[in-house]
Amino acid sequence: MVRLTQITTRGGDCGQTSLGDGQRVSKASLRIEALGTVDEANASIGVARLYMSGAEEDSILADIQNDLFDLGADLCIPYATEGEESTLRVTGQQVEQLESATHAVNATLPHLNSFVMPHGTPAATHLHMARTIVRRAERCVVALDKHEAINPNGIVYLNRLSDFLFVLARLMNDSKGDEDLWQPGQGTGHSPPKSTRDIG
């Protein structure tokens, strides 16, 4: 159980912070960048939840926010091949649950023949913004993985999460008939190549 009794510690005033194992690292490190971006993604989902109309969808987003805290706990303790039993790590089960939710939502949506414009209802717009932040978090975690060993489930979870936020944003627009698609070359006066028009 996490216990927070003092918020201002002054421990980070010199540009360093502590990991979960007590190790001190620079706030400019790849690990802290990854942690901060996962936290930003979590907060952006919290904003999106303000606009959700369905209790079921909001409940799934609440579970995802909890999973992202798990991911933060995972990233704040360097990955090891031994002695992992007591360390909180993102699991394959969490990835599978997210995949199942994505498939369930996507099955209700019309097929796409172009890319979706990231706007529409307030709920959809905030979900699209959250999706792009999750993508950035994924890039940060992949960059960290190039330098230090990490739990591979963390990368997979973020990849699946951006998929889920995409289809959920589509659902929020589809229910209002408010989904617009990219029209290639619309502002240029040139017709797009056939291969672009026939996406999907």
Side-chain angles (χ1 to χ4, degrees), residues 43-175:
S44 69
I45 291 172
V47 174
R49 290 183 62 194
L50 294 172
Y51 300 92
M52 300 303 295
S53 57
E56 181 178 359
E57 291 83 6
D58 182 69
S59 177
I60 294 173
L61 290 177
D63 289 341
I64 287 170
Q65 286 194 285
N66 199 78
D67 285 346
L68 288 175
F69 266 105
D70 287 353
L71 178 55
D74 187 325
L75 289 170
C76 84
I77 297 181
Y79 192 63
T81 56
E82 298 180 0
E84 285 281 309
E85 294 80 7
S86 61
T87 304
L88 179 60
R89 300 295 185 194
V90 173
T91 68
Q93 181 180 353
Q94 287 167 296
V95 172
E96 291 170 5
Q97 289 171 342
L98 199 48
E99 285 182 352
S100 295
T102 302
H103 293 325
V105 172
N106 195 51
T108 69
L109 298 171
H111 294 300
L112 286 171
N113 58 11
S114 186
F115 293 111
V116 172
M117 299 291 282
H119 84 121
T121 65
T125 303
H126 283 287
L127 288 166
H128 277 301
M129 180 60 74
R131 172 183 59 80
T132 65
I133 297 172
V134 168
R135 282 295 192 193
R136 178 153 51 87
E138 180 187 5
R139 294 193 298 271
C140 290
V141 176
V142 169
L144 174 63
D145 185 50
K146 299 299 181 183
H147 295 269
E148 302 180 50
I150 64 168
N151 174 13
N153 285 324
I155 296 175
V156 179
Y157 185 88
L158 289 171
N159 193 306
R160 298 297 184 276
L161 178 53
S162 62
D163 292 342
F164 175 73
L165 294 174
F166 175 75
V167 299
L168 188 58
R170 289 198 66 209
L171 179 66
M172 294 300 101
N173 275 340
D174 184 63
S175 62

